[in-house]
């Protein structure tokens, strides 16, 4: 059984096998979570990211965590919200799915997600949270023994409250 946990925290402090970074296509750092992850992981993360050659929206790539407490960073590039007419929902779904696949493929047992695309990329928060919860719960339905713990790491209380509201609904819908 996979435990789904909501925390109100800075994702760079979490001791998990992988933290997901809400990255941009260049993978060379930026603001928000991305800036925090690169600051906390140190220069070696930037060097590792340079070798990855960028990443498309809706995809994800993995590196070591370097100076982070997390062993790995999964860099997921969310969609930029453009009003919902440019496949944004599907691209956000793919970010969660690809990240979970990378975790499973690398035999990781715990992963923490930030609320991808809900900062600078402007994705509506409730809609993004619903996609996050739906994608994670469907993945663990199909792969119940792969992950021990999935953490939804929220940077503000309101977002954490939203996830806490959505999680029981997802579990009850099974
Ligand atoms: P994006 O460009 O994908 O929108 P952002 O980093 O701008 O990414 O924001 C994504 C979400 O991460 C926002 O909800 C923001 O509040 C949150 N966030 C920012 N810094 C941190 C952090 N250190 N830990 C966890 N969440 C964070």
């Amino acid at each position: 059984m996979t435990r789904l946990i909501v925390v109100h925290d800075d994702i760079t402090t979490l001791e998990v096998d992988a933290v997901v970074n809400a990255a941009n296509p260049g993978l060379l750092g930026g603001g928000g979570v991305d800036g925090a992850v690169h600051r906390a992981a140190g220069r070696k993360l930037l060097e590792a990211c340079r070798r990855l050659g960028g990443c498309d929206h809706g995809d994800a790539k993995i590196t070591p965590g370097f100076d982070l407490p997390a062993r790995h960073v999964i860099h997921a590039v969310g969609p930029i919200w453009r009003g919902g007419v440019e496949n944004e929902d599907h691209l956000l779904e793919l970010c969660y799915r690809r990240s979970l696949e990378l975790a499973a493929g690398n035999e990781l047992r715990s992963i923490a997600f930030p609320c991808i695309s809900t900062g600078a990329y402007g994705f509506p928060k409730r809609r993004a949270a619903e996609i996050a919860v739906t994608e994670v719960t469907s993945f663990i339905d199909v792969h119940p023994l792969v992950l021990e713990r999935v953490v939804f790491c929220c940077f503000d209380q309101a977002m954490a409250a939203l996830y806490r509201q959505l999680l029981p609904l997802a579990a009850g819908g099974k």
Side-chain angles (χ1 to χ4, degrees):
M1 271 285 283
T2 308
R3 282 184 300 141
L4 300 182
I5 299 162
V6 181
V7 299
H8 170 211
D9 212 338
D10 174 349
I11 201 164
T12 64
T13 65
L14 301 184
E15 292 185 19
V16 282
D17 289 339
V19 291
V20 176
N21 178 21
N24 55 53
L27 297 184
L28 300 178
V33 186
D34 205 4
V37 165
H38 275 270
R39 274 192 301 278
R43 285 200 56 81
K44 284 189 176 160
L45 180 63
L46 186 60
E47 288 162 24
C49 284
R50 281 212 177 92
R51 292 192 285 274
L52 295 176
C55 183
D56 292 332
H57 292 280
D59 202 359
K61 294 190 176 177
I62 190 166
T63 64
F66 299 104
D67 294 344
L68 285 167
R71 287 170 47 217
H72 299 84
V73 179
I74 293 174
H75 306 264
V77 183
I80 300 170
W81 180 256
R82 300 190 194 281
V85 293
E86 294 202 6
N87 216 19
E88 294 96 319
D89 286 351
H90 183 56
L91 290 172
L92 189 59
E93 286 166 15
L94 287 178
C95 277
Y96 283 91
R97 206 174 309 157
R98 287 290 302 130
S99 299
L100 292 162
E101 284 167 2
L102 277 173
N106 285 277
E107 297 180 2
L108 309 187
R109 310 294 288 163
S110 57
I111 182 170
F113 284 99
C115 312
I116 301 170
S117 283
T118 64
Y121 279 1
F123 207 104
K125 291 182 177 177
R126 170 174 276 274
R127 189 165 173 145
E130 284 171 357
I131 288 171
V133 168
T134 303
E135 280 307 310
V136 169
T137 48
S138 33
F139 183 88
I140 63 178
D141 270 354
V142 179
H143 309 280
L145 301 176
V146 171
L147 289 160
E148 283 168 9
R149 188 160 49 112
V150 178
V151 181
F152 295 104
C153 180
C154 303
F155 210 40
D156 60 74
Q157 285 284 10
M159 195 66 124
L162 186 55
Y163 275 85
R164 290 198 177 103
Q165 189 187 30
L166 292 172
L167 274 183
L169 299 176
K174 276 182 200 167

